[in-house]
């Protein structure tokens, strides 16, 4: 196959003074920050769906993307060719990982058997390219939402046959993930929610979703797949309400159904926005529960209000994201996965490089800034100090469960009034963050 990006060579780190749009200004893979290389901290992943299957179509117009390596057909041969183009891109970019949905990499057939056969034929090439380049699969997932059969959902469909189909499709996607040594497997509930409660038995649907995930856990054991399972919160779109609406809802669902030990969360920035939260909020909710697994790094446009999946370039966003990630011990099995797409107007192949380089540099800066804030220690010390009344005396007794209402009443009766409060110093802290940006 001819080169898909003949005019572009391996993207290099040239430092902050470089004016070369095809060079990293901040992402220096081998540079050590807070005890680990940037490569180890950030574990960047390229998504197959937006980057290699995105056409640029929107509800008002057809595709715009120029992708010379793609013959536009739905053939297996074209899908295999596309794999080579994808790996050339990822290799030149220098991202260590990629992610896919089953139906992004291989065309769906007219039966499940045919789809599985197509998938195997393309997976063979994925395996060859992984071997050739050393690029690894961060996670795989099944697209159980695009085909019309999934109109009512997959695991939460009112149609039991559709549930069975989804299970079969997920089974195969897990097998291929395992075969390609994927480090994880993600569940995003594409249409697991409702459009109207008038036709919905919510309790039954949620029980079915839990049953599907329990089957996945059991099958994972059976095939010896050791990768991490993730569930990806999103509040709406395409449905009016998705059951996995945010980190807290996912954690509650997993806990209620005895699934929490088997899952971590894959948190996406634009989904946090749609849920009316910040990314930092979602990361903190997951982190506090020991369930921070991976991130889908993108950003939305707050004036548009849908999942626009833009590349992240906002340094405050990446700084706050990395502050929370470092606080909870860094990314372990997951990665910084660019679930993001170039704009419809950015239709040339080179735009894919600009987009990813910008996202990687923004995260490298966020990492460096967050590490510097942590090293400085003032922020952490402030928070410690703010809670110091819990370190001894009555606070320590409450935390260790040694006292109840009666003892607390006696404590306050003896003092007459609570000790005075101190300022939250929000403005001081915001200024402190700006010192580092
Ligand atoms: C859609 C989701 C999806 C998942 C993978 O909004 O972000 O792309 O990441 O199914
Ligand atoms: Ni996502
Ligand atoms: Ni999304």
């Amino acid at each position: 196959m001819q080169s898909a990006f003949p005019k572009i060579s391996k993207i290099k780190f040239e430092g902050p003074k470089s004016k070369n749009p095809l060079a990293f200004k901040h992402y220096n893979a081998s540079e050590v920050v807070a005890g680990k290389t940037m490569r180890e901290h950030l574990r960047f992943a390229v998504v197959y769906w937006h980057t290699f299957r995105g056409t640029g179509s929107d509800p008002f117009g057809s595709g715009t993307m120029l992708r010379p390596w793609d013959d536009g057909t739905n053939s297996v041969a074209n899908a295999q060719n596309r794999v080579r183009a994808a790996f050339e891109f990822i290799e030149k970019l220098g991202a260590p990982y990629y992610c896919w949905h089953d139906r992004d990499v291989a065309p769906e057939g007219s039966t499940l058997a045919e789809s599985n056969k197509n998938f195997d034929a393309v997976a063979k090439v994925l395996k060859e390219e992984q071997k050739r380049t050393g690029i690894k699969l961060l996670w795989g997932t099944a697209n159980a939402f695009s085909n019309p059969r999934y109109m009512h959902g997959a695991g939460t469909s009112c149609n039991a046959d559709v549930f069975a189909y989804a299970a079969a499709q997920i089974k195969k996607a897990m097998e291929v993930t395992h075969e390609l040594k994927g480090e994880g497997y993600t569940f995003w509930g594409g249409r697991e929610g409702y459009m109207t409660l008038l036709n919905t038995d919510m309790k039954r649907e949620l029980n079915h979703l839990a049953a599907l995930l329990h089957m996945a856990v059991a099958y994972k054991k059976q095939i010896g797949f050791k990768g991490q399972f993730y569930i990806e919160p999103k509040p709406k779109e395409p449905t009016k309400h998705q059951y996995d609406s945010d980190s807290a809802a996912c954690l509650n669902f997993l806990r209620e159904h005895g699934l929490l030990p088997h899952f971590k969360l894959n948190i996406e920035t634009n989904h946090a926005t749609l849920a009316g939260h910040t990314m930092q909020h979602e990361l903190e909710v997951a982190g506090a529960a020991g369930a921070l697994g991976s991130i889908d790094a993108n950003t939305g446009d707050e004036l548009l209000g849908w999942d626009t999946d833009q590349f992240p370039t906002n340094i405050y966003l990446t700084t706050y994201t990395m502050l929370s990630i470092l606080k909870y011990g860094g990314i372990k099995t997951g990665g910084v996965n660019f679930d993001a797409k170039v704009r419809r107007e950015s239709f040339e192949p080179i735009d894919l490089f600009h987009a990813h380089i910008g996202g990687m540099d923004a995260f490298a800066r966020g990492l460096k800034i967050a590490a510097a804030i942590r090293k400085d220690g003032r922020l952490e010390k402030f928070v410690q100090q703010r809670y110091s009344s819990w370190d001894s005396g009555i606070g320590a007794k409450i935390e260790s469960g040694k006292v109840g209402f009666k003892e607390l009443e006696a404590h306050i009766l003896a003092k007459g009034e609570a000790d005075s409060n101190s300022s939250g110093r929000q403005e001081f802290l915001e200024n402190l963050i700006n010192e580092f940006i």
Side-chain angles (χ1 to χ4, degrees), residues 146-379:
S146 292
N147 188 291
R149 90 174 65 82
Y150 295 122
M151 63 173 70
H152 299 299
T156 61
S157 175
C158 48
N159 180 341
D161 256 3
V162 171
F163 180 103
Y165 203 112
Q169 196 184 321
I170 292 167
K171 172 180 176 287
K172 179 68 182 175
M174 282 173 59
E175 288 163 4
V176 175
T177 301
H178 187 35
E179 170 70 22
L180 296 178
K181 300 198 164 54
E183 298 185 14
Y185 186 90
T186 292
F187 295 82
W188 169 59
R191 291 180 194 273
E192 314 296 22
Y194 60 80
M195 291 306 286
T196 172
L197 286 171
L198 288 173
N199 64 16
T200 302
D201 185 338
M202 191 190 282
K203 189 172 168 60
R204 219 168 170 181
E205 290 199 359
L206 286 167
N207 285 340
H208 295 163
L209 183 57
L212 183 78
L213 297 180
H214 273 295
M215 289 178 201
V217 169
Y219 193 62
K220 182 181 174 201
K221 250 196 217 125
Q222 272 178 46
I223 61 174
F225 174 53
K226 298 268 175 343
Q228 176 65 49
F229 270 175
Y230 304 104
I231 186 163
E232 182 176 321
K234 184 175 182 179
K236 56 188 165 196
E237 193 196 89
T239 63
K240 176 193 178 79
H241 176 80
Q242 308 263 131
Y243 294 133
D244 305 331
S245 54
D246 62 4
S247 291
C250 285
L251 290 170
N252 180 58
F253 169 79
L254 293 170
R255 217 176 261 126
E256 181 180 347
H257 294 278
L259 288 159
L260 196 51
H262 307 289
F263 285 81
K264 289 201 186 318
L265 303 187
N266 178 39
I267 299 180
E268 177 164 327
T269 323
N270 205 163
H271 297 179
T273 314
L274 293 175
H277 302 311
T278 58
M279 179 62 165
Q280 195 190 8
H281 168 94
E282 288 294 83
L283 293 168
E284 289 290 326
V285 172
L292 206 177
S294 196
I295 66 168
D296 271 7
N298 60 17
T299 190
D301 184 322
E302 293 189 3
L303 297 181
L304 289 177
W306 70 86
D307 200 9
T308 55
D309 287 339
Q310 289 164 240
F311 278 84
T313 52
N314 183 321
I315 308 301
Y316 283 96
L317 170 66
T318 58
T319 297
Y320 284 123
T321 300
M322 291 315 300
L323 266 176
S324 291
I325 287 175
L326 292 180
K327 174 172 160 188
Y328 292 104
I331 295 172
K332 304 215 167 60
T333 54
V336 173
N337 174 46
F338 290 114
D339 189 359
K341 59 186 177 206
V342 289
R343 298 303 85 192
R344 185 169 190 269
E345 303 80 3
S346 307
F347 59 89
E348 295 174 12
I350 196 172
D351 292 307
L352 294 173
F353 278 96
H354 294 153
H356 285 84
I357 290 168
M360 289 162 81
D361 265 346
F363 264 90
R365 284 181 79 178
L367 168 64
K368 286 191 280 188
I369 294 166
I373 293 169
R374 286 170 60 80
K375 189 164 176 222
D376 168 80
R378 276 176 291 163
L379 179 65

Side-chain angles (χ1 to χ4, degrees), residues 42-178:
L42 296 165
R43 297 164 60 85
F44 287 122
V46 171
V47 297
Y48 213 90
W49 51 101
H50 289 312
T51 301
F52 298 101
R53 304 312 309 277
T55 62
S57 68
D58 72 10
F60 299 94
S62 55
T64 56
M65 296 299 157
L66 272 183
R67 301 291 181 249
W69 57 85
D70 201 302
D71 70 11
T73 68
N74 221 11
S75 71
V76 170
N78 188 33
Q80 290 172 324
N81 238 359
R82 195 188 287 124
V83 172
R84 312 246 185 237
F87 275 78
E88 184 186 337
F89 173 80
I90 305 168
E91 198 183 18
K92 284 183 168 170
L93 182 68
Y97 290 98
Y98 77 114
C99 296
W100 47 245
H101 295 87
D102 48 1
R103 301 302 179 242
D104 312 326
V105 285
E108 182 156 17
S110 53
T111 61
L112 181 65
E114 198 188 316
S115 299
N116 288 350
K117 204 175 135 223
N118 293 349
F119 198 6
D120 285 335
V122 180
K124 209 177 133 254
V125 185
L126 290 169
K127 198 173 179 180
E128 277 170 31
E129 288 293 290
Q130 284 185 203
K131 208 171 158 215
R132 183 184 69 76
T133 59
I135 293 162
K136 294 187 271 187
L137 177 62
L138 185 66
W139 49 258
T141 186
N143 177 336
F145 45 87
S146 292
N147 188 291
R149 90 174 65 82
Y150 295 122
M151 63 173 70
H152 299 299
T156 61
S157 175
C158 48
N159 180 341
D161 256 3
V162 171
F163 180 103
Y165 203 112
Q169 196 184 321
I170 292 167
K171 172 180 176 287
K172 179 68 182 175
M174 282 173 59
E175 288 163 4
V176 175
T177 301
H178 187 35

Side-chain angles (χ1 to χ4, degrees), residues 391-404:
D391 295 338
S392 59
I394 197 68
K397 283 186 190 154
I398 299 171
E399 280 196 350
S400 58
K402 285 197 186 117
V403 290

